């Protein structure tokens, strides 16, 4: 038994979970998942294509938006095929190594997306509080360096998680509670002391998500302070309107993320179905809605999208 459940044993697997109690309708449930997958792939790809091919969109705000779209695409490609495999083919088995790789990509991409949202908040802060210095502060070279820091930050913080998990033996039931691999979910199945993983995981969440959300909040405090000092109400509304799309995206990202983290760590008595629904919302809604939000709120981008499809 110990050999079978040892993480170093090649044939050992975890079992992923779809929606318990609804196995008979998994095939029907897969239809909206397939549609959402196609829509978010097409939506984010269109955003990337238009920003790349239109020189007038080579501005800091749209470059940050392309970073966000790339991160959303990576997150979707790393997870949704596994979910569709469960619903379409009942392919629940995933090897330890594949599971650890998947959780690395999920958590690192989530950290990168949080960092990109912080950069987008900084972009709005500079644009509103220092409009005359906007072009000199956010140069292409500086933006590239900021993007590289985001990637390195996410990878550096998350890479210890799968390495720590590989040290454990898993002698309990190997059934995960989600359709994809999460650190909080896997470490509960270990027979060893998981104190280090629990502390490091929580510290990493606070360092990335907590710090980023706090800095985003502070940036909007400064923006609001600057905007309220503007004499003209029309200029005040115009300035705030440029922040609406970013605020919507921030809420779409952090609300399910924080809710799922809290339920995993402190909500042992919460409904398992609620956890599963939150996990799908946290995974699918931000990548699906981000292109929609920015396409609706940005007249420039919306005009380019309409022009592409009309042609």
């Amino acid at each position: 038994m110990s050999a079978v459940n040892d993480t170093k044993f090649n044939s050992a697997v975890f079992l992923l979970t779809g929606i318990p109690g609804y196995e008979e309708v998994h095939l029907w449930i897969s239809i909206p998942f397939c549609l959402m997958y196609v829509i978010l792939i097409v939506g984010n790809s269109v955003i990337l294509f238009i920003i790349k091919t239109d020189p007038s969109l080579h501005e800091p705000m749209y470059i940050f938006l392309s970073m966000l779209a790339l991160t959303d695409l990576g997150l979707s490609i790393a997870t949704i095929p596994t979910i569709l495999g469960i619903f379409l083919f009942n392919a629940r088995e995933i090897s330890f190594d594949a599971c650890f790789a998947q959780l690395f990509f999920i958590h690192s991409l989530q950290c990168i997306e949080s960092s990109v949202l912080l950069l987008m908040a900084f972009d709005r802060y500079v644009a509103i509080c220092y409009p005359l210095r906007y072009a000199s502060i956010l140069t292409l070279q500086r933006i590239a360096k900021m993007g590289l820091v985001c990637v390195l930050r996410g990878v550096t913080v998350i890479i210890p998680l799968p390495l720590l998990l590989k040290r454990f033996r898993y002698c309990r039931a190997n059934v995960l509670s989600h359709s994809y691999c999460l650190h909080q979910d896997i470490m509960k199945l270990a027979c060893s002391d998981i104190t280090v993983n629990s502390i490091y995981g929580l510290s990493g969440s606070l360092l990335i998500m907590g710090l980023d959300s706090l800095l985003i909040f502070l940036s909007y405090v400064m923006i609001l302070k600057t905007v309220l000092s503007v004499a003209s109400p029309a200029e005040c509304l115009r300035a705030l309107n440029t922040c609406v799309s970013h605020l919507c995206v921030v809420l779409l990202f952090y609300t399910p993320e924080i809710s799922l983290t809290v339920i995993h760590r402190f909500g042992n008595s919460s409904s398992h179905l609620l956890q599963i629904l939150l996990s799908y919302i946290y995974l699918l809604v931000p990548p699906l809605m981000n292109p929609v939000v920015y396409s609706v709120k940005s007249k420039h981008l919306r005009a380019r999208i309409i022009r592409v499809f009309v042609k």
Side-chain angles (χ1 to χ4, degrees):
M1 177 64 73
S2 62
V4 173
N5 291 288
D6 194 333
T7 57
K8 297 181 180 179
F9 193 72
N10 293 330
S11 65
V13 294
F14 288 121
L15 294 179
L16 301 170
T17 302
I19 302 180
Y22 296 86
E23 287 81 5
E24 294 181 358
V25 292
H26 270 182
L27 187 62
W28 293 104
I29 295 173
S30 69
I31 296 175
F33 277 90
C34 289
L35 289 175
M36 285 188 286
Y37 190 35
V38 171
I39 291 170
L40 69 86
I41 291 291
V42 171
N44 286 287
S45 299
V46 167
I47 294 288
L48 287 170
F49 173 77
I50 290 174
I51 292 174
K52 184 180 184 299
T53 56
D54 191 338
S56 65
L57 296 178
H58 294 175
E59 300 176 2
M61 181 178 74
Y62 296 107
I63 295 173
F64 289 134
L65 178 57
S66 65
M67 292 180 187
L68 187 68
L70 273 174
T71 307
D72 286 337
L73 279 174
L75 185 63
S76 305
I77 292 170
T79 52
I80 297 183
T82 304
I83 297 173
L84 292 179
I86 295 171
F87 289 138
L88 290 172
F89 310 111
N90 195 32
R92 297 180 57 201
E93 292 188 355
I94 183 170
S95 68
F96 282 137
D97 289 336
C99 195
F100 296 150
Q102 187 181 55
L103 81 85
F104 167 75
F105 283 111
I106 290 175
H107 290 297
S108 59
L109 288 169
Q110 287 286 337
C111 291
I112 293 170
E113 182 158 347
S114 177
S115 301
V116 172
L117 291 176
L118 176 59
L119 294 185
M120 296 174 85
F122 178 69
D123 169 75
R124 292 298 84 207
Y125 167 75
V126 175
I128 293 174
C129 299
Y130 301 98
L132 299 179
R133 298 175 55 195
Y134 181 73
S136 62
I137 294 175
L138 291 174
T139 61
L140 290 179
Q141 186 178 10
R142 190 166 290 165
I143 290 172
K145 290 179 180 178
M146 293 162 72
L148 180 60
V149 169
C150 289
V151 174
L152 292 176
R153 182 191 186 212
V155 171
T156 303
V157 171
I158 298 302
I159 201 168
L161 295 181
L163 298 178
L164 288 170
L165 288 173
K166 285 181 71 69
R167 297 167 50 245
F168 296 150
R169 287 178 54 255
Y170 298 89
C171 56
R172 297 173 186 169
N174 60 342
V175 180
L176 299 174
S177 59
H178 297 296
S179 303
Y180 49 90
C181 299
L182 291 175
H183 172 253
Q184 307 97 304
D185 201 13
I186 295 174
M187 70 176 183
K188 292 179 181 178
L189 303 182
C191 305
S192 311
D193 183 11
I194 61 172
T195 304
V196 174
N197 278 63
S198 183
I199 293 174
Y200 184 83
L202 182 59
S203 301
S205 297
L206 292 175
L207 179 64
I208 301 289
M209 308 297 180
L211 181 60
D212 288 353
S213 58
L214 176 62
L215 292 175
I216 290 171
F217 174 76
L218 291 176
S219 69
Y220 274 103
V221 170
M222 299 300 294
I223 288 172
L224 191 59
K225 182 180 177 181
T226 302
V227 166
L228 291 177
S229 65
V230 177
S232 169
E235 291 180 3
C236 179
L237 289 174
R238 193 180 305 117
L240 288 175
N241 191 49
T242 64
C243 302
V244 171
S245 53
H246 179 254
L247 280 172
C248 292
V249 170
V250 167
L251 290 174
L252 284 171
F253 176 77
Y254 282 108
T255 303
E257 169 77 24
I258 294 172
S259 301
L260 189 61
T261 300
V262 169
I263 286 178
H264 262 297
R265 295 185 180 277
F266 308 110
N268 294 327
S269 60
S270 61
S271 167
H272 184 52
L273 183 60
L274 174 63
Q275 293 184 24
I276 292 174
L277 292 176
L278 264 179
S279 71
Y280 289 134
I281 292 172
Y282 136 94
L283 185 70
L284 291 172
V285 171
L288 182 68
M289 294 304 298
N290 290 347
V292 176
V293 169
Y294 272 95
S295 300
V296 169
K297 291 301 298 179
S298 173
K299 293 181 180 179
H300 201 174
L301 185 61
R302 185 171 67 247
R304 295 296 185 274
I305 293 173
I306 293 172
R307 187 179 302 173
V308 167
F309 284 103
V310 166
K311 283 183 179 180

